[in-house]
Amino acid sequence: EAQVTQNPRYLITVTGKKLTVTCSQNMNHEYMSWYRQDPGLGLRQIYYSMNVEVTDKGDVPEGYKVSRKEKRNFPLILESPSPNQTSLYFCSTSDSYEQYFGPGTRLTVT
Amino acid sequence: GEDVEQSLFLSVREGDSSVINCTYTDSSSTYLYWYKQEPGAGLQLLTYIFSNMDMKQDQRLTVLLNKKDKHLSLRIADTQTGDSAIYFCAESYNTDKLIFGTGTRLQVFP
């Protein structure tokens, strides 16, 4: 079954404590992406990766890092989280015309 | 720049038709999508349309595209309570990066 998995699904943390949200796909897709969803703003792209070791900034990259050491995984790293990064995060993969989204990670930074 | 706009709310009676509207600014968009997000869930691709098409029908869903006005609509026939969700339109030039609208919350009442 084609899947995009994210972990954790829910996380409450404190300002400044480094965290990583993992994303994994089993579809052998080259393109992966991270979005954040905020009320009234829709989804905005944070970072994307065209292939292994190739990553680039999206529309709202500040405060985030990513890595793509292998095709199936695309972790999102918050080195020093701040309250304005409280949001719902989605990982996605793409092949041809369709994007597949993970179930989302709800992050709260206090 | 790229921008996708939707109205925030729509309320309809069960059994009626729902029409969710979307306008976009990027005339080079090749693909236009409708996604559904149920409470606490990820994004589910409902349907998509290529920019060289005017209409696409898929069971209860009808997508209309007016390229001249850069207007996209999603019509749901015989709306059911299970259709209550947030609906996002999205545009893409190369199928990788999606530009999302703000989402329309559809509420279906008996």
Side-chain angles (χ1 to χ4, degrees):
Chain A
E1 181 193 351
Q3 262 192 329
V4 182
T5 57
Q6 293 180 226
N7 281 293
R9 294 289 314 280
Y10 302 91
L11 179 60
I12 300 174
T13 190
V14 296
T15 299
K17 186 177 180 182
K18 181 179 177 179
L19 67 92
T20 299
V21 184
T22 64
C23 173
S24 183
Q25 52 110 350
N26 64 359
M27 292 170 276
N28 204 36
H29 289 169
E30 292 181 345
Y31 186 94
M32 298 185 73
S33 183
W34 276 102
Y35 293 86
R36 61 177 287 174
Q37 181 184 1
D38 301 290
L41 296 176
L43 282 81
R44 294 174 293 168
Q45 191 182 53
I46 303 170
Y47 266 95
Y48 65 95
S49 170
M50 303 288 282
N51 212 328
V52 175
E53 301 293 0
V54 180
T55 64
D56 210 343
K57 296 177 180 178
D59 297 318
V60 288
E62 293 76 22
Y64 304 95
K65 283 174 55 178
V66 292
S67 71
R68 188 87 183 273
K69 292 185 170 56
E70 49 189 340
K71 204 171 193 178
R72 64 181 290 120
N73 295 322
F74 189 44
L76 179 69
I77 303 154
L78 284 74
E79 294 271 5
S80 183
S82 62
N84 65 11
Q85 292 178 299
T86 292
S87 188
L88 180 58
Y89 291 86
F90 288 100
C91 177
S92 74
T93 74
S94 173
D95 190 18
S96 68
Y97 58 82
E98 186 167 350
Q99 288 214 8
Y100 299 83
F101 284 84
T105 295
R106 186 166 291 282
L107 172 66
T108 302
V109 183
T110 61
Chain B
E2 305 148 325
D3 195 17
V4 180
E5 294 188 356
Q6 299 177 241
S7 54
L8 291 180
F9 299 101
L10 177 65
S11 186
V12 300
R13 190 179 298 277
E14 191 174 19
D16 288 350
S17 293
S18 308
V19 179
I20 304 171
N21 294 302
C22 171
T23 57
Y24 60 97
T25 57
D26 189 354
S27 58
S28 63
S29 293
T30 308
Y31 305 89
L32 295 134
Y33 304 84
W34 283 104
Y35 282 86
K36 177 183 181 182
Q37 184 181 36
E38 297 185 67
L43 278 81
Q44 172 195 353
L45 177 65
L46 280 179
T47 187
Y48 65 93
I49 189 169
F50 295 114
S51 61
N52 61 358
M53 297 166 66
D54 297 322
M55 186 184 89
K56 181 177 181 180
Q57 186 152 7
D58 184 1
Q59 299 182 338
R60 292 191 297 123
L61 304 179
T62 303
V63 178
L64 294 177
L65 175 61
N66 181 329
K67 288 185 287 293
K68 175 175 167 291
D69 295 336
K70 300 191 187 68
H71 183 266
L72 183 73
S73 68
L74 174 69
R75 179 178 181 268
I76 306 172
D78 187 24
T79 313
Q80 303 297 307
T81 54
D83 294 323
S84 294
I86 301 176
Y87 291 81
F88 291 94
C89 74
E91 63 170 348
S92 176
Y93 171 71
N94 60 5
T95 78
D96 291 332
K97 179 181 177 179
L98 296 176
I99 305 297
F100 283 88
T102 52
T104 299
R105 184 179 293 276
L106 173 65
Q107 182 178 6
V108 183
F109 56 94

